[in-house]
Amino acid sequence: QVQLVESGGGLVQAGGSLRLSCAASGTLFSRYGMGWFRQAPGKEREFVAAISWIGGITKYADSVKGRFTISRDNAKNMVYLQMNSLKPEDTAVFHCAAGYYSRAAATQNEYTYWGQGTQVTVSA
């Protein structure tokens, strides 16, 4: 069982930056690939970024490549999403997710555990 709690969301102007954090419970965190997904109002939840359980493999949605960076700290059971050059279309609830032995998967069914999410609002 893994519990995930996101933080770091908020209101920011276009062009600004935010750093999201996801704290994971449990002692096997290093065996989980981690992902960030987002859901905007009236839209389906979509993939943002992922990092593998081993080897530091990362994957990004085309819409965030070059602007967002995912990282993890296994010693702290944390995963982060650094978001730069934010745009109004990035406005969404951001969720982190954990998949056992997942290798930077972009598909939601690779992930077993999900956090409640943190709101990110980017004003024009």
Side-chain angles (χ1 to χ4, degrees):
Q1 187 82 10
V2 176
Q3 292 186 326
L4 304 171
V5 179
E6 303 94 336
S7 62
L11 174 63
V12 64
Q13 289 187 331
S17 298
L18 282 174
R19 187 197 195 203
L20 304 185
S21 299
C22 175
S25 66
T27 59
L28 298 177
F29 176 74
S30 62
R31 298 185 187 180
Y32 285 86
M34 301 297 295
W36 285 97
F37 292 78
R38 66 186 180 186
Q39 187 167 19
K43 294 188 176 181
E44 299 280 325
R45 188 163 58 187
E46 65 176 5
F47 169 73
V48 176
I51 187 165
S52 61
W53 73 278
I54 194 170
I57 300 168
T58 58
K59 185 179 295 180
Y60 297 93
D62 288 343
S63 59
V64 306
K65 276 181 184 176
R67 300 189 297 124
F68 291 10
T69 303
I70 188 171
S71 61
R72 66 186 297 158
D73 184 340
N74 288 345
K76 296 181 178 179
N77 281 18
M78 296 290 293
V79 64
Y80 306 99
L81 186 68
Q82 178 66 43
M83 306 187 295
N84 299 328
S85 303
L86 283 161
K87 305 175 181 179
E89 51 264 45
D90 293 318
T91 295
V93 176
F94 282 70
H95 299 267
C96 70
Y100 198 56
Y101 288 141
S102 176
R103 297 178 68 86
T107 52
Q108 297 185 43
N109 61 10
E110 289 281 335
Y111 297 91
T112 305
Y113 301 104
W114 294 81
Q116 291 296 310
T118 185
Q119 175 71 47
V120 171
T121 303
V122 184
S123 63

